[in-house]
Amino acid sequence: MHSRSAVLLALLTLLLCVPPVPASATAGPYAEIDAYVRDRMRATHSPGLSYAVVGRDGPLHQRTWGTDGRGERVTPRTPFLWGSIAKPVTATAVMTLVQSGRLRLDDPVTDRLPGFRFGGPAHAAKVTIRHLLEQTAGISASATSRVTDCHGSGCPGAAGRLGALDGVEPLGPPGTKYAYTSANYLVLTAVVESVTGRPFADHLRQAVFGPAGMDGTVADAGSVRRRKLPPGHQFFWGVPAATADGFDEHGAGYGYLGGDLDDLAAFASLQLRAGSPVLTAESARLMRREGRVQGGAGTGYGLGWRVGGLDAPLDTAVWHTGATPGYSAMLFLLPRQNVALVLQQNVYGLTQDAAIMQVGFGAARMLAGAEPGDAPSASGYLLAVWGLTAVGLALVVAAGRSVQLLRRPASAPPRIAATAAWTVVGASPLLALVALGGVGQLRPLLTWVPDAFVAGCATACAGAVLAALRLTLAVRAPSAQWKRIRQRRTRFT
């Protein structure tokens, strides 16, 4: 009995002498990354986020926080949209056709799409599949809005949108200028549909999703309904609101593609396994080789992947970011560590891009063994949109003052200089809005920066009313004076 007591006492003494384990150690090797991601979520007011560190055989670590656009808890099965991460997925699908011999990288696009007339027949005939993949077809970034972000049931398919590129001036001969635009990948969508004879989303499922184990992907309207995709969040004067529920039925090739955390992790695992059943080692190598343009300058873009272009230790990373209205995502392949990092958020603002995307860049740097780096601020945009709003409110106040003046009897005519100044001030926002509409930028503004669009429209309307009121005051005063003169003459006569 005494010996048992002695043993228990010795064990208790030993336990008391063992130093406590730090909280970070108990949380695992990724605790600091977890803490950093949470801090960035708070800084950018991101409602929901999920991320994973991925190895060749699947996730090594994953976390989810926050809520979706319906207020439900984010889990590894919550679907997000991935934006331009669709581009490496599309490039992978194209490479499966190249591997099977159904397509060649240097095939002219017009061989598959006779109606492709971008830049005129002579230019279009020289554009190849490779040019589209590496973003050197000569299509400018400004042409993107002509063929993308079409929300609603009446939107034409990929091939039906190509005519909008006919009048776009090429940046140069194919293969000589790099310009990142989703229009290239919309053309690729049409090419794949022409080669396979079926919808692009069906080819993705057969060639990529199925073999990779991406069972919950969102690639068309049917999968959006099945997965019950929640709306994403857009910023309105700095506050995220779940208003982004638009979906481009034919946009899976360039940006309207998504899924849950397991799906995105499965795609990253597939890319880490060079020589997998989907991609041969040679195909993977070609995709991750930096493209070249005339003169030997690197594009920083491979076949669907961004290659390098970041500070060490991410200088060898193969990566892509993506966004749709309301959603953002990032994927980094880190060859030195033979791991990947995937991250998705249910918030996006075009003018807050750097601040929102920093969470992925910082987490990837930490995974590669470095400090996360400084975080950009979105305060400049907030100042701009609130400034525009303040201008609109000032014009409303000025218009109200003009209404009061109209209710009073006219005495002296307003000064010409003052009238001209108020008219110019009032009409300027409306003229700016008309000019933006003339170059086709109103729809992109509404899609990507809705608060600035609303503030701009309200300011333009208030300004137009003010200009009309000031002109009315200017015309009314002389008329009133002539009326008084006539009345005096009538009394004397």
Side-chain angles (χ1 to χ4, degrees):
M1 189 70 178
H2 291 292
S3 61
R4 289 181 182 176
S5 299
V7 171
L8 289 173
L9 182 62
L11 288 173
L12 180 61
T13 303
L14 181 62
L15 288 172
L16 291 174
C17 292
V18 174
V21 179
S24 60
T26 61
Y30 305 107
E32 290 186 5
I33 300 179
D34 290 351
Y36 172 77
V37 172
R38 294 299 304 275
D39 286 344
R40 290 305 305 158
M41 278 188 72
R42 285 188 286 269
T44 58
H45 308 290
S46 178
L49 179 150
S50 63
Y51 95 98
V53 177
V54 184
R56 290 167 54 90
D57 298 321
L60 305 173
H61 172 78
Q62 60 182 23
R63 288 288 184 268
T64 63
W65 295 288
T67 57
D68 67 16
R70 298 190 182 99
E72 298 178 4
R73 214 70 174 134
V74 172
T75 73
R77 295 295 294 164
T78 300
F80 290 70
L81 288 179
W82 301 336
S84 286
I85 289 179
K87 292 179 174 67
V89 178
T90 295
T92 300
V94 169
M95 293 306 293
T96 65
L97 296 175
V98 173
Q99 290 169 176
S100 66
R102 302 176 70 183
L103 197 62
R104 294 182 304 167
L105 288 175
D106 295 318
D107 282 347
V109 172
T110 51
D111 285 358
R112 305 294 180 174
L113 300 173
F116 180 64
R117 291 288 183 267
F118 161 65
H123 181 95
K126 298 176 184 177
V127 177
T128 67
I129 305 302
R130 189 190 303 271
H131 293 144
L132 295 174
L133 285 167
E134 66 183 15
Q135 308 269 13
T136 60
I139 305 176
S140 63
S142 61
T144 304
S145 61
R146 292 173 177 254
V147 295
T148 59
D149 301 313
C150 185
H151 302 160
S153 58
C155 296
R161 302 184 195 183
L162 301 185
L165 298 174
D166 290 354
V168 176
E169 185 70 23
L171 296 173
T176 64
K177 298 286 186 179
Y178 166 81
Y180 180 88
T181 170
S182 291
N184 284 314
Y185 278 71
L186 185 84
V187 179
L188 281 170
T189 300
V191 168
V192 171
E193 291 182 335
S194 175
V195 172
T196 63
R198 55 182 173 171
F200 182 72
D202 289 351
H203 176 66
L204 285 179
R205 293 187 185 97
Q206 183 271 328
V208 182
F209 300 162
M214 302 166 64
D215 302 326
T217 49
V218 172
D220 53 18
S223 51
V224 166
R225 288 191 295 270
R226 285 194 299 273
R227 291 306 311 272
K228 298 179 180 178
L229 179 71
H233 296 79
Q234 293 175 293
F235 288 105
F236 286 84
W237 291 269
V239 179
T243 57
D245 57 358
F247 185 80
D248 190 338
E249 165 75 6
H250 304 284
Y254 72 85
Y256 286 82
L257 179 73
D260 56 42
L261 184 60
D262 293 336
D263 297 320
L264 191 53
F267 180 71
S269 291
L270 171 71
Q271 296 297 326
L272 291 172
R273 299 192 301 270
S276 69
V278 175
L279 285 177
T280 66
E282 175 62 13
S283 292
R285 185 187 67 81
L286 283 173
M287 292 176 68
R288 299 169 196 178
R289 185 175 66 189
E290 184 179 7
R292 298 284 169 178
V293 296
Q294 192 174 35
T299 63
Y301 207 86
L303 304 182
W305 284 108
R306 295 193 182 277
V307 182
L310 303 174
D311 294 336
L314 300 183
D315 50 319
T316 61
V318 178
W319 58 284
H320 219 293
T321 63
T324 63
Y327 281 100
S328 53
M330 313 185 76
L331 192 160
F332 292 86
L333 304 178
L334 306 179
R336 289 173 183 157
Q337 290 78 20
N338 200 27
V339 296
L341 182 136
V342 297
L343 186 147
Q344 48 191 7
Q345 302 177 85
N346 57 10
V347 69
Y348 186 71
L350 183 63
T351 52
Q352 296 100 323
D353 177 89
I356 291 170
M357 295 298 190
Q358 175 60 27
V359 62
F361 286 106
R365 287 182 58 82
M366 294 176 73
L367 185 60
E371 293 297 315
D374 297 332
S377 170
S379 58
Y381 171 73
L382 283 176
L383 288 173
V385 74
W386 277 109
L388 181 60
T389 303
V391 170
L393 291 174
L395 291 176
V396 169
V397 171
R401 171 62 177 163
S402 298
V403 170
Q404 289 179 337
L405 292 175
L406 276 174
R407 290 179 176 176
R408 298 176 182 176
S411 53
R415 297 176 197 165
I416 296 176
T419 299
W422 277 113
T423 303
V424 169
V425 169
S428 294
L430 180 62
L431 293 174
L433 203 64
V434 171
L436 286 171
V439 294
Q441 293 303 309
L442 286 185
R443 184 169 65 87
L445 280 175
L446 176 60
T447 301
W448 293 99
V449 281
D451 51 356
F453 178 83
V454 170
C457 287
T459 300
C461 291
V465 170
L466 173 62
L469 289 171
R470 298 306 297 194
L471 288 173
T472 301
L473 283 169
V475 171
R476 189 195 69 160
S479 299
Q481 283 188 324
W482 278 111
K483 184 178 180 180
R484 284 195 294 271
I485 291 172
R486 285 195 299 269
Q487 288 174 344
R488 288 171 187 164
R489 287 178 177 175
T490 301
R491 285 198 301 270
F492 285 120
T493 57

